[in-house]
Amino acid sequence: MTGCLKEYQELVAALQVDGLALVPGPNFTRALGHSFMSHERPFVVVIPANGAPAAIVPNLELGSWQLVGFEGAVFDWRDQDGYGQAFADLARHLPLKRIAVEGQVMRVFVHHAFKQALPELEILDAEREISGLRMIKTAADIAAMEAAITISERALHAVLRQVEIGQTEKQIEAALIQALFAEGADDLAFSPIVAAGDNSARPHAHARSDYQIQDGDALLFDFGARKNGFCADITRTVFVGSVSEEGRAVYETVLRANQAGLDITRAGVTAHEIDDAVTGVLEASPFADRIKTKTGHGLGREVHEAPYVMRGNHQVLPAGTVYTNEPGLYALDKFGVRIEDDILITEEGYRSLTQFPKELMIVG
Amino acid sequence: MTGCLKEYQELVAALQVDGLALVPGPNFTRALGHSFMSHERPFVVVIPANGAPAAIVPNLELGSWQLVGFEGAVFDWRDQDGYGQAFADLARHLPLKRIAVEGQVMRVFVHHAFKQALPELEILDAEREISGLRMIKTAADIAAMEAAITISERALHAVLRQVEIGQTEKQIEAALIQALFAEGADDLAFSPIVAAGDNSARPHAHARSDYQIQDGDALLFDFGARKNGFCADITRTVFVGSVSEEGRAVYETVLRANQAGLDITRAGVTAHEIDDAVTGVLEASPFADRIKTKTGHGLGREVHEAPYVMRGNHQVLPAGTVYTNEPGLYALDKFGVRIEDDILITEEGYRSLTQFPKELMIVG
């Protein structure tokens, strides 16, 4: 286990539960210092308020598990025997009436395995509190994100030099992915979005192989590398060949909204205040009916994590938080524009981890 | 929706539930013909036994949702408003007392959102039955898997030509990933395993940057491309520079086990029978104490899916099933060997979708 076991133990006490159950994913990796696959196999660490943690480990993982240096009871199970006994043994080992889980990571089959062993168990979704422990980034976290961002920006520069009218989104996406790995990505932070023309107005578009880029198209890239366990998430929208007056006006509006968010960013600001500043610019523009999304989300081991930067979230954001500032305007019959930066909140203000130019760019 | 809605409706009736809830993932993509991200946002389609399905859709996805041609009620929700109302509206729209869900895909926060709207709702884990509908592959499914496998095998050939004593696992992994995308992969089917020496004895090892490959090392590759939504999953173990007598003996044992599984594969065999034949060879060898895993698993839209090829699973496997035949022997203080093929079951026997040579290979 890493040194952060104590943090989780304190959370168990604060939540007034008997234990906290982590499953493979970002918190598990942070707590154990090693990442694991789960697939169809339950794999769980339970941290009680006091005393040693306990784990349910698939038998075939014991060789990797050895590297963790886990100090606590381990209940392993083999595929052919099933995992029921391991949960029953864990239930006998730790008295659990109420546990906290990561609701956005744990899947229903693990939930049901707990309930099978302990029918009266109360399973509390404490995603916000558990993942919230990752909100303030360490220097090492930030260094990893900067590495991921540098790789991503170099890849985008390389790809933009090659964009031409007539290419398909799918071709450009393939070039982007190859460039990311050529620049040193460990993995993709998520499936990239490369969308032109009307497709750029779908916030989570899929690249098409049957649409060729035309003169005047908006071309939106939303992508990121993963490096040393951390994600980049950057969006830039360029225009190919030329840009219409409307394209320019929409672009400048989105850029002003992005800047408005930066202007009020400093330790102590709330997520609500940032979104209100950003969305306020969009609402005051002639394009208010094209608003589809909130300002952004936290970024770290996961590409979407706390804090969610939206009106109504009055969470105070401390120095060390990294969030995405990604306003956009989307018209399904026309085009979409989004500009996304990865922003580190500091005591004095902010530092933009993304460095890629934001001036309107015409390529191809 | 695609043409397979009726299949899901029939399953609802067979399971004696009021509806079946699908969330973004392989079944959702198969049912809708389009794939979606979910992240922190609940996104659910509920299919009742009779009548139109209904969906809970994040508002920002409506532009993409339009492409689905969904015929049923849609309850969309915005981040700033939360999703509670959408679940309440769905609950009023469809009378649900008992629903079936994909336990290995749906996460606890969606489970809890259903329970919040309908405290008495019974949520049945029907992963096996729902994902079981994907077990028999169509010609298009198989073509996609063959494309993914061809890409993977070309990449492995390219990488093996470059392997040298002194390289790190991490360097070789990076070369493999770049080769996969250069050959046309849409994505990685999973994070590749590239493990040498003692690390090859960890079934789910992580590539190390601090270990240089030595003469005589086993070097294990377990990886695959994803293409058109389908996965390849192939393992080959080579030796670098030279091979010990023990290395050769272990390799030949694993290869015989792999072949024993193929020899009894034909439509109508059970998963148990295949594993029994494969594991039987390993057990009869001098290396029986190095057995760590079952024979394999189904392969398709997910890299691990039904059927699970292990003793005790007496499921009859029909023609059209694709499974991985991946026996291995693992000694943590020495090395591991695994050989994995992707096998299509036919009426007459089988067709190995993987074509990469299996004779013991010394590289570098």
Side-chain angles (χ1 to χ4, degrees):
Chain A
M1 301 281 285
T2 63
C4 54
L5 179 61
K6 194 155 180 298
E7 266 186 273
Y8 294 101
Q9 288 173 325
E10 287 167 2
L11 183 56
V12 171
L15 291 169
Q16 297 183 287
V17 292
D18 304 310
L20 185 155
L22 300 180
V23 294
N27 300 313
F28 196 92
T29 303
R30 177 175 183 265
L32 299 177
H34 292 264
S35 68
F36 289 90
M37 295 191 193
S38 176
H39 291 300
E40 76 276 17
R41 298 184 181 95
F43 196 155
V44 192
V45 168
V46 179
I47 302 168
N50 298 298
I56 291 174
V57 180
N59 179 274
L60 84 165
E61 302 286 7
L62 288 177
S64 295
W65 184 251
Q66 189 190 69
L67 302 173
V68 171
F70 185 78
E71 291 174 6
V74 173
F75 304 99
D76 69 300
W77 61 277
R78 291 175 185 269
D79 287 334
Q80 56 269 37
D81 305 322
Y83 47 79
Q85 191 61 45
F87 278 86
D89 290 343
L90 176 86
R92 259 192 300 275
H93 180 75
L94 287 179
L96 300 173
K97 287 188 177 154
R98 193 159 179 262
I99 61 169
V101 308
E102 312 145 285
Q104 290 180 23
V105 189
M106 182 181 283
R107 289 170 289 160
V108 169
F109 79 120
V110 178
H111 173 280
H112 279 30
F114 270 112
K115 294 289 278 188
Q116 179 85 26
L118 291 162
E120 302 302 318
L121 182 69
E122 193 186 335
I123 298 177
L124 177 75
D125 180 358
E127 173 69 39
R128 184 186 166 114
E129 293 81 0
I130 300 170
S131 293
L133 295 178
R134 308 200 316 265
M135 203 171 87
I136 299 180
K137 269 60 186 177
T138 66
D141 296 351
I142 293 164
M145 294 174 76
E146 289 187 306
I149 290 167
T150 298
I151 289 165
S152 306
E153 296 190 338
R154 285 186 183 154
L156 183 58
H157 277 297
V159 168
L160 286 180
R161 282 193 290 271
Q162 304 164 29
V163 167
E164 287 175 21
I165 289 168
Q167 291 172 331
T168 66
E169 294 165 2
K170 201 79 192 163
Q171 283 176 308
I172 298 171
E173 183 194 52
L176 178 65
I177 291 173
Q178 287 189 56
L180 285 165
F181 285 105
E183 292 292 348
D186 289 339
D187 200 350
L188 304 175
F190 58 98
S191 280
I193 297 166
V194 177
D198 64 319
N199 207 25
S200 62
R202 296 186 175 96
H204 291 157
H206 291 283
R208 299 171 294 190
S209 53
D210 61 353
Y211 175 80
Q212 295 181 308
I213 290 174
Q214 299 177 18
D215 179 49
D217 271 355
L219 175 58
L220 184 152
F221 295 85
D222 185 351
F223 71 103
R226 182 183 284 275
K227 189 72 184 175
N228 298 330
F230 283 78
C231 298
D233 185 6
I234 171 170
T235 305
R236 289 294 184 269
T237 309
V238 301
F239 290 85
V240 185
S242 64
V243 60
S244 65
E245 278 312 300
E246 184 180 342
R248 191 178 292 276
V250 168
Y251 192 92
E252 296 303 335
T253 304
V254 173
L255 185 55
R256 277 195 294 116
N258 171 288
Q259 187 59 49
L262 298 180
D263 289 345
I264 67 155
T265 294
R266 65 187 176 284
V269 70
T270 69
H272 171 95
E273 288 166 341
I274 295 175
D275 189 38
D276 199 51
V278 170
T279 304
V281 171
L282 303 178
E283 284 170 345
S285 80
F287 309 113
D289 60 333
R290 302 186 185 187
I291 300 168
K292 290 278 170 211
T293 63
K294 63 179 185 274
T295 291
H297 49 77
L299 182 70
R301 291 181 187 272
E302 281 195 302
V303 71
H304 284 210
E305 60 181 45
Y308 295 97
V309 183
M310 60 186 179
R311 283 175 176 160
N313 180 4
H314 296 285
Q315 195 173 3
V316 172
L317 305 183
T321 305
V322 175
Y323 78 93
T324 67
N325 177 345
E326 49 173 316
L329 291 169
Y330 310 92
L332 254 186
D333 52 344
K334 295 180 170 175
F335 63 93
V337 169
R338 178 164 68 250
I339 302 172
E340 177 183 27
D341 287 316
D342 302 337
I343 303 299
L344 169 65
I345 301 179
T346 65
E347 290 298 344
E348 303 75 32
Y350 69 93
R351 182 154 68 84
S352 182
L353 303 181
T354 38
Q355 302 280 331
F356 203 96
K358 291 189 280 190
E359 295 74 34
L360 190 150
M361 195 182 287
I362 297 173
V363 303
Chain B
M1 300 283 285
T2 63
C4 53
L5 179 60
K6 194 155 179 297
E7 267 186 89
Y8 293 102
Q9 288 173 325
E10 286 167 2
L11 183 57
V12 171
L15 291 170
Q16 297 183 288
V17 292
D18 304 311
L20 186 156
L22 300 179
V23 294
N27 301 312
F28 196 91
T29 302
R30 178 175 182 264
L32 300 177
H34 291 263
S35 68
F36 289 90
M37 295 192 192
S38 175
H39 290 302
E40 77 276 18
R41 299 184 180 96
F43 196 156
V44 191
V45 168
V46 179
I47 302 169
N50 299 297
I56 292 173
V57 180
N59 179 274
L60 84 164
E61 301 288 6
L62 289 178
S64 295
W65 184 252
Q66 191 190 67
L67 302 173
V68 170
F70 186 77
E71 292 175 4
V74 173
F75 304 99
D76 70 299
W77 60 277
R78 290 175 185 271
D79 287 335
Q80 56 269 38
D81 304 322
Y83 47 80
Q85 191 61 45
F87 278 86
D89 290 343
L90 176 86
R92 258 192 301 275
H93 179 74
L94 287 178
L96 300 174
K97 287 187 176 155
R98 193 160 178 261
I99 60 169
V101 309
E102 313 145 286
Q104 290 181 24
V105 189
M106 182 181 283
R107 290 171 289 159
V108 169
F109 79 121
V110 177
H111 173 281
H112 280 29
F114 270 112
K115 294 289 278 186
Q116 180 85 26
L118 291 162
E120 301 303 319
L121 183 68
E122 194 186 335
I123 298 177
L124 177 76
D125 180 358
E127 174 69 38
R128 184 185 166 114
E129 293 81 2
I130 300 170
S131 294
L133 295 178
R134 307 199 317 265
M135 203 170 88
I136 299 180
K137 269 60 185 178
T138 66
D141 296 351
I142 293 164
M145 294 172 78
E146 288 187 306
I149 290 167
T150 298
I151 289 165
S152 306
E153 296 191 339
R154 285 186 183 154
L156 183 57
H157 277 297
V159 168
L160 286 180
R161 281 194 290 270
Q162 304 164 27
V163 168
E164 286 176 21
I165 290 169
Q167 290 173 332
T168 67
E169 295 164 0
K170 201 79 191 161
Q171 283 176 308
I172 298 171
E173 182 194 53
L176 178 66
I177 292 172
Q178 288 190 58
L180 284 165
F181 285 105
E183 293 292 348
D186 289 339
D187 200 350
L188 304 175
F190 57 99
S191 280
I193 297 165
V194 177
D198 64 318
N199 208 25
S200 61
R202 297 187 174 96
H204 291 158
H206 290 284
R208 299 171 294 191
S209 53
D210 61 354
Y211 174 80
Q212 294 181 308
I213 290 174
Q214 299 178 18
D215 179 50
D217 271 355
L219 175 59
L220 184 152
F221 295 86
D222 184 351
F223 72 104
R226 183 183 284 274
K227 188 72 183 176
N228 298 331
F230 283 79
C231 298
D233 185 6
I234 171 170
T235 306
R236 288 294 184 269
T237 309
V238 301
F239 290 85
V240 185
S242 63
V243 60
S244 66
E245 277 312 300
E246 183 181 343
R248 191 178 293 275
V250 168
Y251 192 92
E252 296 303 334
T253 304
V254 173
L255 185 55
R256 278 194 294 116
N258 171 287
Q259 186 60 47
L262 298 180
D263 289 344
I264 66 154
T265 295
R266 67 188 174 284
V269 71
T270 69
H272 171 95
E273 288 166 341
I274 296 175
D275 188 38
D276 200 52
V278 170
T279 304
V281 172
L282 303 178
E283 284 169 345
S285 80
F287 310 112
D289 60 331
R290 302 187 185 185
I291 300 169
K292 289 280 171 211
T293 63
K294 63 179 184 276
T295 292
H297 49 77
L299 182 71
R301 290 181 188 273
E302 282 196 303
V303 72
H304 285 210
E305 60 180 46
Y308 296 98
V309 183
M310 60 185 181
R311 284 175 177 160
N313 181 4
H314 296 284
Q315 195 172 3
V316 172
L317 306 183
T321 305
V322 175
Y323 78 93
T324 66
N325 177 345
E326 49 173 316
L329 290 169
Y330 310 92
L332 254 186
D333 51 343
K334 295 180 170 176
F335 64 93
V337 170
R338 178 164 67 251
I339 302 172
E340 176 182 28
D341 287 316
D342 301 338
I343 303 299
L344 170 65
I345 301 179
T346 65
E347 289 298 343
E348 302 75 31
Y350 69 92
R351 184 154 67 85
S352 182
L353 303 181
T354 38
Q355 302 279 332
F356 203 96
K358 291 189 280 189
E359 294 74 35
L360 190 150
M361 194 182 286
I362 297 173
V363 303

